[in-house]
Amino acid sequence: MKVIISGCNGKMGRVLVRLIANEKEMEIVAGIDKHKDKFENTFPVYEKACECKEKADVLIDFSHHSAFSDILKYCLDTKTPLVMATTGLTGENLRSLMKASNEIPIFQTGNYSLGVNVITNLAKKAAASLGDDFDIEIIEKHHNQKVDSPSGTAYLIANGINEAFETKKEFVYGRYGKSDKRTSTEIGIHAIRGGTIIGEHTVIFAGPDEIIEIKHTALSKDIFGLGAIKASKFLIKQKNGFYNMNDMLK
Ligand SMILES: NC(=O)C1=CN([C@@H]2O[C@H](COP(=O)(O)OP(=O)(O)OC[C@H]3O[C@@H](n4cnc5c(N)ncnc54)[C@H](OP(=O)(O)O)[C@@H]3O)[C@@H](O)[C@H]2O)C=CC1
Ligand SMILES: O=C(O)C1=N[C@H](C(=O)O)C[C@H](O)C1
């Protein structure tokens, strides 16, 4: 399987290069990154996907949302399946991905780890059982180099929880400046940034006289890279469509 890595010189890009070196049937044919210097002796690196001369069986994107249009255009023009891992995408970006999935297979999730997929489903089940009597708050913690907040995973979990409710809850980000009491129509989302925290997500269900917490802690970035590799192997066998972790793991 020929692979193009977008964001190849970033933290996750480097993790992927290392992990793919152990995959016998995978070969990196090109990289895309603002920084062209690092892997030039191993594979060509382009500043923009539209400059990329190589074709691949899949493009894996761990870069920045500002690269979104360029990446999607390359994949549509060359009919390359896309594994989208970059977070901080806008609603419009996500709608463009959905539309593009009529023409190419697209896999997208805010978190490629198995564990987050499991806690998202657990949180959804908990919300369905607990109903409006329990207040739901999500706390996410990440390293001080992260550029988007809240995390893609916090959105993934919050959207998953909302599937349990007929009347969707409104996301409330922090509570600075609020002068009203909390209502049951909210899901609170809070972002913490510091040091080298790889990723921690806690969902709190706070009810009358009892609290449930569901928590996932990432101990290495490898879990995201391995998940994206697994998603690539899954995606190249699929027809055009929009896929996520639930499709792959069912
Ligand atoms: N879905 C998942 O499971 C996971 C998703 N992520 C997401 O992946 C993304 C990358 O994370 P991470 O590797 O930590 O970030 P990094 O900032 O370390 O890496 C991103 C790389 O892309 C480069 N870049 C930035 N903008 C552009 C652009 N417009 N065109 C080309 N290259 C660009 C960066 O350059 P520069 O440094 O100069 O900005 C950097 O080299 C983030 O959105 C993160 O949230 C991360 C882990 C797991
Ligand atoms: O930027 C990161 O590091 C991570 N980003 C993803 C997110 O925004 O949820 C996934 C993971 O938590 C690490």
Side-chain angles (χ1 to χ4, degrees), residues 4-248:
I4 295 172
I5 300 182
S6 163
C8 61
N9 271 314
K11 290 180 283 299
M12 278 308 304
R14 286 157 195 262
V15 167
L16 266 183
V17 172
R18 174 171 51 78
L19 293 173
I20 288 176
N22 297 325
E23 296 284 330
K24 282 197 186 76
E25 74 281 21
M26 288 177 91
E27 177 202 357
I28 301 171
V29 293
I32 299 154
D33 202 289
K34 270 159 79 180
H35 309 278
K36 293 174 63 176
D37 46 333
K38 277 286 170 197
F39 294 107
E40 273 182 347
N41 296 331
T42 328
F43 50 80
V45 181
Y46 303 92
E47 263 181 65
K48 288 185 179 298
C50 59
E51 296 164 1
C52 181
K53 296 178 189 67
E54 285 72 15
K55 295 251 171 84
D57 300 302
V58 68
L59 184 149
I60 306 176
D61 181 44
F62 278 93
S63 62
H64 186 263
H65 58 84
S66 57
F68 176 82
S69 305
D70 176 50
I71 296 298
L72 186 58
K73 185 173 182 326
Y74 171 87
C75 289
L76 283 171
D77 288 351
T78 56
K79 295 277 175 264
T80 308
L82 170 62
V83 170
M84 174 54 72
T86 297
T87 55
L89 300 182
T90 62
E92 198 186 327
N93 292 157
L94 289 169
R95 282 188 290 280
S96 302
L97 275 185
M98 284 279 196
K99 193 171 164 222
S101 71
N102 291 315
E103 294 177 49
I104 52 172
I106 296 183
F107 197 114
Q108 190 273 333
T109 178
N111 197 302
Y112 278 85
S113 74
L114 174 63
V116 159
N117 183 66
V118 170
I119 70 152
T120 303
N121 291 330
L122 287 175
K124 182 176 160 183
K125 278 193 189 135
S129 302
L130 300 169
D132 286 337
D133 289 343
F134 282 66
D135 296 323
I136 306 169
E137 300 277 312
I138 298 171
I139 301 173
E140 59 98 335
K141 301 181 189 173
H142 283 89
H143 52 92
N144 59 20
Q145 297 302 301
K146 185 162 176 61
V147 291
D148 58 310
S149 33
S151 66
T153 308
Y155 278 120
L156 177 74
I157 296 170
N159 287 325
I161 289 171
N162 247 345
E163 284 175 25
F165 297 108
E166 227 162 81
T167 307
K168 304 302 174 202
K169 292 188 188 286
E170 178 201 356
F171 301 161
V172 175
Y173 305 100
R175 291 216 160 67
Y176 178 77
K178 281 236 165 204
S179 51
D180 292 337
K181 283 182 193 164
R182 188 194 198 289
T183 71
S184 64
T185 60
E186 302 173 7
I187 296 177
I189 303 182
H190 310 274
I192 291 179
R193 296 287 173 268
T196 57
I197 302 170
I198 290 171
E200 193 182 293
H201 292 85
T202 307
V203 190
I204 301 171
F205 294 88
D209 293 336
E210 53 182 334
I211 298 169
I212 299 168
E213 288 192 11
I214 302 175
K215 180 176 172 186
H216 178 267
T217 306
L219 299 177
S220 155
K221 289 182 194 290
D222 283 16
I223 57 173
F224 311 127
L226 289 168
I229 288 172
K230 198 168 174 187
S232 304
K233 291 177 183 172
F234 166 84
L235 193 65
I236 61 164
K237 293 191 200 127
Q238 308 305 317
K239 51 185 193 221
N240 298 345
F242 197 75
Y243 302 93
N244 63 26
M245 295 294 273
N246 284 330
D247 298 309
M248 183 167 74

